[in-house]
Amino acid sequence: MGAFAAILRKDLRLELRSGQSTVALFALSLLILVVLVFALSPDPANRAEASAGALWVAMVFAGMLGATRALLAENENGCMRALATSPIDPAMLYAAKLAAAFIFMTVAEGAAVILVVLFFNLDFGPELLRLVPPVALGTLGFSALATLLAAISGRTRAGDLLLPLLAVPMFVPALIAGVKASAAALSGAELSAMTRWLGVLVAFDVLFVTLGGLLFEHVIGED
Amino acid sequence: MMTAPVVETYALGKSFGETPVLRDVNLKLYAGRAAILIGGNGAGKSTLLGILAGLGRPTTGRVTIFGEDSLSLSHQNRRRIGMLSHQSWLYPNLTASENLEFYAALYGLPHPEAVAHRWLERVGLLPFSRERVRAFSRGMEQRLSLARAVLAQPMLLLLDEPFAALDPEGVATVGGMVREQVERGCAVVMTAHGPTAIEGLELEAFSVVRGRLAPYGGERRGGRLRSIPGR
Protein backbone atom coordinates (compact mmCIF):
# COMPACT_ATOMS: atom_id res chain seq x y z
CA MET A 1 0.00 0.00 0.00
CA GLY A 2 2.97 2.28 0.69
CA ALA A 3 4.15 1.94 -2.91
CA PHE A 4 0.63 2.64 -4.21
CA ALA A 5 0.46 5.83 -2.15
CA ALA A 6 4.00 6.82 -3.20
CA ILE A 7 3.19 6.52 -6.91
CA LEU A 8 -0.14 8.29 -6.62
CA ARG A 9 1.36 11.08 -4.52
CA LYS A 10 4.17 11.48 -7.02
CA ASP A 11 1.78 11.64 -9.99
CA LEU A 12 -0.43 14.21 -8.29
CA ARG A 13 2.58 16.25 -7.26
CA LEU A 14 3.88 16.26 -10.84
CA GLU A 15 0.46 17.30 -12.09
CA LEU A 16 -0.01 20.03 -9.52
CA ARG A 17 3.44 21.32 -10.38
CA SER A 18 2.89 21.47 -14.11
CA GLY A 19 -0.89 21.78 -14.28
CA GLN A 20 -0.62 20.62 -17.89
CA SER A 21 -3.26 17.91 -17.80
CA THR A 22 -5.88 19.81 -15.90
CA VAL A 23 -5.61 22.92 -18.04
CA ALA A 24 -5.54 20.89 -21.26
CA LEU A 25 -8.45 18.71 -20.16
CA PHE A 26 -10.54 21.75 -19.25
CA ALA A 27 -9.71 23.58 -22.48
CA LEU A 28 -10.51 20.52 -24.56
CA SER A 29 -13.82 19.96 -22.78
CA LEU A 30 -14.77 23.60 -23.26
CA LEU A 31 -13.96 23.48 -26.97
CA ILE A 32 -15.93 20.28 -27.55
CA LEU A 33 -18.96 21.54 -25.66
CA VAL A 34 -19.00 24.90 -27.44
CA VAL A 35 -18.91 23.15 -30.81
CA LEU A 36 -21.61 20.65 -29.86
CA VAL A 37 -24.02 23.14 -28.32
CA PHE A 38 -23.99 25.17 -31.53
CA ALA A 39 -24.09 22.12 -33.78
CA LEU A 40 -26.97 20.42 -31.97
CA SER A 41 -29.04 23.49 -31.03
CA PRO A 42 -30.98 21.35 -28.56
CA ASP A 43 -34.66 22.04 -27.98
CA PRO A 44 -36.38 21.11 -24.70
CA ALA A 45 -37.56 17.78 -26.14
CA ASN A 46 -34.10 16.39 -26.82
CA ARG A 47 -32.06 18.45 -24.38
CA ALA A 48 -31.29 15.55 -22.04
CA GLU A 49 -30.04 13.30 -24.85
CA ALA A 50 -28.00 16.05 -26.50
CA SER A 51 -26.38 17.19 -23.27
CA ALA A 52 -25.62 13.61 -22.23
CA GLY A 53 -24.01 12.96 -25.62
CA ALA A 54 -21.96 16.14 -25.43
CA LEU A 55 -20.80 15.31 -21.91
CA TRP A 56 -19.59 11.86 -22.92
CA VAL A 57 -17.80 13.09 -26.02
CA ALA A 58 -15.95 15.55 -23.81
CA MET A 59 -15.24 12.75 -21.33
CA VAL A 60 -13.72 10.46 -23.93
CA PHE A 61 -11.36 13.06 -25.35
CA ALA A 62 -10.45 14.41 -21.94
CA GLY A 63 -9.90 10.88 -20.70
CA MET A 64 -7.54 10.12 -23.53
CA LEU A 65 -5.40 13.06 -22.53
CA GLY A 66 -5.62 12.25 -18.81
CA ALA A 67 -4.54 8.65 -19.18
CA THR A 68 -1.69 9.59 -21.48
CA ARG A 69 -0.45 12.21 -19.02
CA ALA A 70 -0.41 9.74 -16.15
CA LEU A 71 2.00 7.53 -18.08
CA LEU A 72 3.94 10.16 -19.99
CA ALA A 73 6.05 11.10 -16.97
CA GLU A 74 7.12 7.47 -16.68
CA ASN A 75 8.44 7.38 -20.23
CA GLU A 76 10.68 10.37 -19.66
CA ASN A 77 14.19 9.29 -18.62
CA GLY A 78 13.09 5.66 -18.72
CA CYS A 79 11.32 5.83 -15.34
CA MET A 80 8.94 3.05 -16.32
CA ARG A 81 11.93 0.69 -16.35
CA ALA A 82 12.71 1.69 -12.77
CA LEU A 83 9.16 0.79 -11.82
CA ALA A 84 9.33 -2.45 -13.81
CA THR A 85 12.48 -3.54 -11.99
CA SER A 86 11.25 -2.42 -8.58
CA PRO A 87 9.70 -4.87 -6.11
CA ILE A 88 6.22 -3.35 -6.54
CA ASP A 89 3.55 -5.74 -7.74
CA PRO A 90 2.66 -4.76 -11.35
CA ALA A 91 -1.04 -4.98 -10.48
CA MET A 92 -0.44 -2.45 -7.71
CA LEU A 93 1.42 -0.22 -10.15
CA TYR A 94 -1.51 -0.48 -12.56
CA ALA A 95 -3.92 0.40 -9.75
CA ALA A 96 -1.88 3.49 -8.85
CA LYS A 97 -1.71 4.71 -12.46
CA LEU A 98 -5.43 3.99 -12.86
CA ALA A 99 -6.19 5.99 -9.71
CA ALA A 100 -4.14 8.93 -11.00
CA ALA A 101 -5.93 8.87 -14.38
CA PHE A 102 -9.30 8.58 -12.59
CA ILE A 103 -8.54 11.65 -10.47
CA PHE A 104 -7.35 13.71 -13.47
CA MET A 105 -10.48 12.75 -15.40
CA THR A 106 -12.81 13.40 -12.48
CA VAL A 107 -11.46 16.93 -12.03
CA ALA A 108 -11.94 17.63 -15.74
CA GLU A 109 -15.42 16.10 -15.70
CA GLY A 110 -16.49 18.24 -12.77
CA ALA A 111 -15.74 21.24 -14.94
CA ALA A 112 -17.36 19.59 -17.98
CA VAL A 113 -20.60 18.94 -16.09
CA ILE A 114 -20.79 22.60 -15.04
CA LEU A 115 -20.21 23.68 -18.63
CA VAL A 116 -22.85 21.24 -19.90
CA VAL A 117 -25.39 22.60 -17.43
CA LEU A 118 -24.62 26.16 -18.48
CA PHE A 119 -24.47 25.59 -22.23
CA PHE A 120 -27.49 23.29 -22.43
CA ASN A 121 -29.57 25.40 -20.10
CA LEU A 122 -30.10 22.69 -17.50
CA ASP A 123 -30.89 23.26 -13.84
CA PHE A 124 -28.32 23.14 -11.07
CA GLY A 125 -30.52 20.92 -8.94
CA PRO A 126 -30.34 17.68 -6.97
CA GLU A 127 -31.20 15.75 -10.16
CA LEU A 128 -27.62 16.40 -11.25
CA LEU A 129 -26.54 13.96 -8.55
CA ARG A 130 -28.23 11.26 -10.63
CA LEU A 131 -25.38 11.76 -13.09
CA VAL A 132 -22.85 10.58 -10.53
CA PRO A 133 -23.27 6.79 -10.98
CA PRO A 134 -22.99 6.68 -14.81
CA VAL A 135 -20.22 9.27 -14.93
CA ALA A 136 -18.23 7.66 -12.11
CA LEU A 137 -18.58 4.18 -13.64
CA GLY A 138 -17.73 5.48 -17.10
CA THR A 139 -14.70 7.31 -15.77
CA LEU A 140 -13.45 4.21 -14.01
CA GLY A 141 -13.93 2.08 -17.12
CA PHE A 142 -12.30 4.55 -19.43
CA SER A 143 -9.38 5.09 -17.01
CA ALA A 144 -8.90 1.33 -16.76
CA LEU A 145 -8.93 0.85 -20.52
CA ALA A 146 -6.88 3.91 -21.39
CA THR A 147 -4.22 3.26 -18.71
CA LEU A 148 -3.60 -0.20 -20.11
CA LEU A 149 -3.61 0.97 -23.72
CA ALA A 150 -1.46 4.02 -22.98
CA ALA A 151 1.17 1.71 -21.46
CA ILE A 152 1.09 -0.39 -24.63
CA SER A 153 1.12 2.52 -27.05
CA GLY A 154 3.84 4.29 -25.03
CA ARG A 155 6.25 1.55 -26.11
CA THR A 156 5.64 2.16 -29.79
CA ARG A 157 6.91 4.91 -32.06
CA ALA A 158 3.47 6.18 -33.02
CA GLY A 159 2.00 5.76 -29.55
CA ASP A 160 0.01 9.00 -29.57
CA LEU A 161 -1.76 7.90 -32.73
CA LEU A 162 -2.26 4.35 -31.60
CA LEU A 163 -4.04 5.16 -28.34
CA PRO A 164 -7.25 6.70 -29.77
CA LEU A 165 -7.32 4.10 -32.54
CA LEU A 166 -7.38 1.35 -29.93
CA ALA A 167 -9.28 3.01 -27.10
CA VAL A 168 -12.28 4.58 -28.81
CA PRO A 169 -13.62 1.46 -30.58
CA MET A 170 -13.13 -0.63 -27.45
CA PHE A 171 -14.95 1.96 -25.35
CA VAL A 172 -18.02 2.06 -27.62
CA PRO A 173 -20.18 -0.34 -25.51
CA ALA A 174 -19.53 1.70 -22.38
CA LEU A 175 -20.02 4.93 -24.31
CA ILE A 176 -23.48 3.89 -25.50
CA ALA A 177 -24.45 2.73 -22.01
CA GLY A 178 -23.09 5.89 -20.44
CA VAL A 179 -24.95 8.19 -22.82
CA LYS A 180 -28.20 6.30 -22.32
CA ALA A 181 -27.87 6.23 -18.52
CA SER A 182 -26.89 9.90 -18.38
CA ALA A 183 -29.77 10.91 -20.64
CA ALA A 184 -32.15 9.00 -18.38
CA ALA A 185 -30.64 10.73 -15.36
CA LEU A 186 -30.96 14.21 -16.88
CA SER A 187 -34.51 13.66 -18.18
CA GLY A 188 -35.72 12.69 -14.72
CA ALA A 189 -36.72 9.18 -15.83
CA GLU A 190 -37.28 6.37 -13.36
CA LEU A 191 -34.23 4.76 -11.80
CA SER A 192 -35.12 1.50 -13.55
CA ALA A 193 -34.45 3.21 -16.89
CA MET A 194 -30.83 3.67 -15.80
CA THR A 195 -30.08 0.36 -14.12
CA ARG A 196 -29.80 -1.72 -17.29
CA TRP A 197 -27.22 0.66 -18.67
CA LEU A 198 -25.43 0.96 -15.36
CA GLY A 199 -25.13 -2.84 -15.43
CA VAL A 200 -23.31 -2.61 -18.77
CA LEU A 201 -20.94 -0.03 -17.28
CA VAL A 202 -20.25 -2.19 -14.24
CA ALA A 203 -19.50 -5.19 -16.47
CA PHE A 204 -17.16 -3.06 -18.61
CA ASP A 205 -15.35 -1.81 -15.49
CA VAL A 206 -14.93 -5.27 -14.03
CA LEU A 207 -13.62 -6.59 -17.34
CA PHE A 208 -11.02 -3.90 -17.96
CA VAL A 209 -9.88 -3.40 -14.37
CA THR A 210 -9.29 -7.16 -14.18
CA LEU A 211 -7.60 -7.32 -17.58
CA GLY A 212 -5.39 -4.35 -16.71
CA GLY A 213 -4.32 -5.87 -13.43
CA LEU A 214 -3.48 -9.17 -15.11
CA LEU A 215 -1.79 -7.82 -18.24
CA PHE A 216 0.09 -4.78 -16.97
CA GLU A 217 3.09 -6.90 -15.98
CA HIS A 218 3.52 -8.07 -19.56
CA VAL A 219 2.94 -4.61 -20.98
CA ILE A 220 5.63 -2.86 -18.95
CA GLY A 221 7.97 -5.81 -18.54
CA GLU A 222 10.64 -7.10 -20.81
CA ASP A 223 11.93 -5.62 -24.05
CA MET B 1 31.58 -24.38 2.11
CA MET B 2 31.34 -22.54 -1.22
CA THR B 3 28.52 -20.02 -1.36
CA ALA B 4 26.18 -19.92 -4.36
CA PRO B 5 26.92 -17.26 -6.95
CA VAL B 6 24.76 -14.14 -6.98
CA VAL B 7 24.66 -14.18 -10.78
CA GLU B 8 25.15 -17.12 -13.06
CA THR B 9 24.50 -17.28 -16.77
CA TYR B 10 24.50 -20.51 -18.76
CA ALA B 11 25.13 -20.31 -22.50
CA LEU B 12 23.15 -17.08 -22.59
CA GLY B 13 22.18 -15.81 -26.01
CA LYS B 14 20.04 -12.89 -27.11
CA SER B 15 18.90 -11.91 -30.58
CA PHE B 16 16.82 -9.00 -31.79
CA GLY B 17 15.04 -10.46 -34.80
CA GLU B 18 17.71 -12.17 -36.86
CA THR B 19 20.53 -10.17 -35.30
CA PRO B 20 22.42 -11.92 -32.51
CA VAL B 21 23.50 -9.52 -29.77
CA LEU B 22 24.78 -11.96 -27.14
CA ARG B 23 26.27 -15.38 -27.85
CA ASP B 24 27.06 -18.18 -25.44
CA VAL B 25 27.71 -15.94 -22.45
CA ASN B 26 28.81 -17.78 -19.34
CA LEU B 27 29.33 -15.54 -16.33
CA LYS B 28 29.49 -16.30 -12.66
CA LEU B 29 29.76 -13.68 -9.95
CA TYR B 30 29.84 -14.08 -6.19
CA ALA B 31 28.86 -11.76 -3.36
CA GLY B 32 31.47 -9.15 -2.55
CA ARG B 33 33.02 -9.36 -6.01
CA ALA B 34 32.99 -6.91 -8.89
CA ALA B 35 33.15 -7.55 -12.61
CA ILE B 36 33.65 -5.10 -15.42
CA LEU B 37 32.51 -5.72 -18.98
CA ILE B 38 34.66 -3.82 -21.44
CA GLY B 39 33.57 -3.30 -25.00
CA GLY B 40 32.67 -0.83 -27.70
CA ASN B 41 29.31 0.49 -28.70
CA GLY B 42 26.90 -2.25 -29.73
CA ALA B 43 29.00 -5.00 -28.19
CA GLY B 44 26.06 -6.23 -26.10
CA LYS B 45 27.07 -4.95 -22.64
CA SER B 46 23.88 -3.01 -21.92
CA THR B 47 21.73 -5.85 -23.25
CA LEU B 48 23.45 -8.23 -20.85
CA LEU B 49 22.89 -5.87 -17.92
CA GLY B 50 19.25 -5.47 -18.94
CA ILE B 51 18.76 -9.24 -18.89
CA LEU B 52 20.40 -9.47 -15.47
CA ALA B 53 18.01 -6.75 -14.25
CA GLY B 54 15.00 -8.67 -15.57
CA LEU B 55 14.33 -6.16 -18.33
CA GLY B 56 15.02 -8.60 -21.13
CA ARG B 57 14.38 -12.25 -21.82
CA PRO B 58 17.27 -14.43 -23.05
CA THR B 59 16.69 -15.97 -26.46
CA THR B 60 18.73 -19.00 -25.50
CA GLY B 61 20.36 -20.22 -22.30
CA ARG B 62 19.44 -19.40 -18.75
CA VAL B 63 20.19 -16.84 -16.06
CA THR B 64 19.92 -17.30 -12.32
CA ILE B 65 19.99 -14.42 -9.87
CA PHE B 66 20.29 -15.27 -6.16
CA GLY B 67 19.68 -18.86 -7.24
CA GLU B 68 16.32 -18.06 -8.90
CA ASP B 69 15.57 -18.09 -12.59
CA SER B 70 15.72 -14.47 -13.74
CA LEU B 71 12.37 -14.83 -15.53
CA SER B 72 10.53 -15.67 -12.33
CA LEU B 73 12.41 -13.59 -9.82
CA SER B 74 10.55 -13.10 -6.54
CA HIS B 75 9.68 -9.61 -5.33
CA GLN B 76 11.98 -10.19 -2.38
CA ASN B 77 14.93 -10.74 -4.72
CA ARG B 78 13.92 -7.92 -7.05
CA ARG B 79 14.32 -5.63 -4.07
CA ARG B 80 17.96 -6.76 -3.83
CA ILE B 81 18.90 -5.52 -7.31
CA GLY B 82 19.98 -1.96 -8.03
CA MET B 83 20.63 -0.61 -11.48
CA LEU B 84 22.25 2.44 -13.00
CA SER B 85 21.15 2.64 -16.60
CA HIS B 86 22.02 4.86 -19.56
CA GLN B 87 18.83 6.74 -18.73
CA SER B 88 18.74 8.25 -15.26
CA TRP B 89 15.32 6.88 -14.26
CA LEU B 90 14.73 10.19 -12.47
CA TYR B 91 11.70 12.49 -12.76
CA PRO B 92 12.87 15.83 -14.19
CA ASN B 93 10.05 17.81 -12.55
CA LEU B 94 10.75 16.48 -9.08
CA THR B 95 13.57 17.79 -6.93
CA ALA B 96 16.61 15.64 -6.14
CA SER B 97 15.24 14.99 -2.68
CA GLU B 98 11.73 14.17 -3.90
CA ASN B 99 13.14 11.68 -6.41
CA LEU B 100 15.08 9.78 -3.75
CA GLU B 101 12.17 9.96 -1.29
CA PHE B 102 9.90 8.47 -3.94
CA TYR B 103 12.24 5.55 -4.62
CA ALA B 104 12.79 5.00 -0.90
CA ALA B 105 9.02 4.78 -0.42
CA LEU B 106 8.71 2.52 -3.46
CA TYR B 107 11.19 0.10 -1.88
CA GLY B 108 9.38 0.30 1.44
CA LEU B 109 12.27 1.90 3.31
CA PRO B 110 11.39 3.56 6.61
CA HIS B 111 11.88 7.34 6.91
CA PRO B 112 12.28 8.17 3.19
CA GLU B 113 13.29 11.77 3.98
CA ALA B 114 16.19 10.63 6.14
CA VAL B 115 17.25 8.09 3.51
CA ALA B 116 17.19 10.78 0.81
CA HIS B 117 19.17 13.18 2.98
CA ARG B 118 21.84 10.57 3.72
CA TRP B 119 22.38 9.63 0.08
CA LEU B 120 22.29 13.19 -1.18
CA GLU B 121 25.04 13.97 1.27
CA ARG B 122 27.00 10.90 0.18
CA VAL B 123 26.95 11.87 -3.51
CA GLY B 124 27.70 15.52 -2.73
CA LEU B 125 24.34 16.87 -3.86
CA LEU B 126 22.90 17.99 -0.54
CA PRO B 127 23.20 21.70 -1.46
CA PHE B 128 21.04 20.93 -4.51
CA SER B 129 18.44 18.79 -2.74
CA ARG B 130 15.58 21.22 -3.49
CA GLU B 131 16.56 21.80 -7.10
CA ARG B 132 14.57 20.10 -9.80
CA VAL B 133 16.46 17.41 -11.66
CA ARG B 134 15.59 19.16 -14.93
CA ALA B 135 18.18 21.79 -14.01
CA PHE B 136 20.93 19.25 -13.26
CA SER B 137 24.01 18.70 -15.40
CA ARG B 138 24.56 15.22 -16.83
CA GLY B 139 27.21 14.51 -14.19
CA MET B 140 24.96 15.58 -11.30
CA GLU B 141 22.17 13.45 -12.71
CA GLN B 142 24.57 10.50 -12.92
CA ARG B 143 25.53 10.88 -9.24
CA LEU B 144 21.90 11.20 -8.18
CA SER B 145 21.02 8.18 -10.27
CA LEU B 146 23.69 6.15 -8.50
CA ALA B 147 22.22 7.23 -5.17
CA ARG B 148 18.85 6.02 -6.45
CA ALA B 149 20.36 2.68 -7.43
CA VAL B 150 22.00 1.98 -4.07
CA LEU B 151 19.59 3.51 -1.57
CA ALA B 152 17.82 0.21 -0.90
CA GLN B 153 21.23 -1.42 -0.21
CA PRO B 154 21.07 -3.93 -3.09
CA MET B 155 23.05 -7.15 -3.09
CA LEU B 156 23.47 -7.03 -6.86
CA LEU B 157 24.40 -3.72 -8.40
CA LEU B 158 24.34 -3.30 -12.18
CA LEU B 159 26.10 -0.18 -13.44
CA ASP B 160 26.01 0.80 -17.08
CA GLU B 161 28.99 3.08 -17.68
CA PRO B 162 28.92 4.61 -14.22
CA PHE B 163 31.80 7.00 -14.92
CA ALA B 164 30.29 8.54 -18.04
CA ALA B 165 29.98 12.34 -17.93
CA LEU B 166 31.65 12.64 -14.52
CA ASP B 167 34.34 15.12 -13.54
CA PRO B 168 37.33 13.88 -11.50
CA GLU B 169 35.52 14.58 -8.23
CA GLY B 170 32.51 12.66 -9.46
CA VAL B 171 34.72 9.76 -10.55
CA ALA B 172 36.23 9.61 -7.06
CA THR B 173 32.78 9.77 -5.40
CA VAL B 174 31.26 7.10 -7.61
CA GLY B 175 34.37 4.90 -7.38
CA GLY B 176 34.27 5.17 -3.59
CA MET B 177 30.61 4.27 -3.50
CA VAL B 178 31.12 1.22 -5.69
CA ARG B 179 33.98 0.08 -3.45
CA GLU B 180 31.79 0.53 -0.35
CA GLN B 181 29.06 -1.59 -1.92
CA VAL B 182 31.50 -4.39 -2.72
CA GLU B 183 33.01 -4.21 0.76
CA ARG B 184 29.60 -4.73 2.37
CA GLY B 185 29.11 -7.87 0.26
CA CYS B 186 27.28 -6.59 -2.80
CA ALA B 187 28.10 -8.14 -6.18
CA VAL B 188 28.73 -5.48 -8.81
CA VAL B 189 28.63 -5.80 -12.60
CA MET B 190 29.64 -2.67 -14.46
CA THR B 191 30.36 -1.76 -18.05
CA ALA B 192 32.90 0.54 -19.65
CA HIS B 193 34.25 1.30 -23.09
CA GLY B 194 37.84 0.81 -21.99
CA PRO B 195 40.00 -0.42 -19.12
CA THR B 196 38.72 1.26 -15.98
CA ALA B 197 39.80 0.72 -12.42
CA ILE B 198 38.65 1.74 -9.00
CA GLU B 199 41.23 2.42 -6.35
CA GLY B 200 41.42 -0.33 -3.76
CA LEU B 201 39.10 -2.64 -5.67
CA GLU B 202 39.90 -5.71 -7.70
CA LEU B 203 37.74 -5.96 -10.78
CA GLU B 204 37.31 -9.16 -12.70
CA ALA B 205 37.53 -7.87 -16.24
CA PHE B 206 35.88 -9.28 -19.34
CA SER B 207 35.92 -8.06 -22.86
CA VAL B 208 32.68 -8.10 -24.81
CA VAL B 209 33.15 -8.32 -28.55
CA ARG B 210 30.18 -8.86 -30.85
CA GLY B 211 28.22 -10.41 -28.01
CA ARG B 212 30.90 -12.81 -26.84
CA LEU B 213 32.41 -12.64 -23.38
CA ALA B 214 36.09 -13.43 -22.76
CA PRO B 215 38.56 -12.67 -19.97
CA TYR B 216 39.93 -9.20 -20.67
CA GLY B 217 43.48 -9.31 -21.98
CA GLY B 218 43.41 -13.11 -22.23
CA GLU B 219 45.55 -15.45 -20.18
CA ARG B 220 48.45 -13.04 -19.93
CA ARG B 221 46.58 -10.71 -17.60
CA GLY B 222 44.36 -13.34 -16.11
CA GLY B 223 41.29 -11.22 -16.74
CA ARG B 224 41.84 -9.11 -13.65
CA LEU B 225 42.30 -5.40 -13.32
CA ARG B 226 43.73 -3.79 -10.24
CA SER B 227 43.55 -0.23 -9.20
CA ILE B 228 45.00 2.32 -11.56
CA PRO B 229 45.36 5.44 -9.44
CA GLY B 230 43.62 8.33 -11.10
CA ARG B 231 42.25 6.01 -13.78
Side-chain angles (χ1 to χ4, degrees), chain A residues 200-219:
Chain A
V200 175
L201 287 172
V202 169
F204 187 90
D205 290 1
V206 170
L207 176 66
F208 280 100
V209 170
T210 308
L211 271 181
L214 292 174
L215 296 179
F216 207 62
E217 178 175 14
H218 306 287
V219 172

Side-chain angles (χ1 to χ4, degrees), chain A residues 73-91:
Chain A
E74 307 300 353
N75 292 335
E76 212 170 352
N77 285 347
C79 292
M80 186 55 93
R81 290 176 148 235
L83 297 178
T85 55
S86 76
I88 182 174
D89 186 337

Side-chain angles (χ1 to χ4, degrees), chain B residues 35 54 141 191 195:
Chain B
E141 210 170 319
T191 69

Side-chain angles (χ1 to χ4, degrees), chain B residues 70-89:
Chain B
S70 66
L71 297 176
S72 54
L73 209 57
S74 64
H75 290 298
Q76 188 189 352
N77 277 335
R78 266 182 194 276
R79 186 182 296 274
R80 300 167 73 196
I81 302 175
M83 184 171 189
L84 175 75
S85 164
H86 271 298
Q87 291 179 294
S88 69
W89 296 2

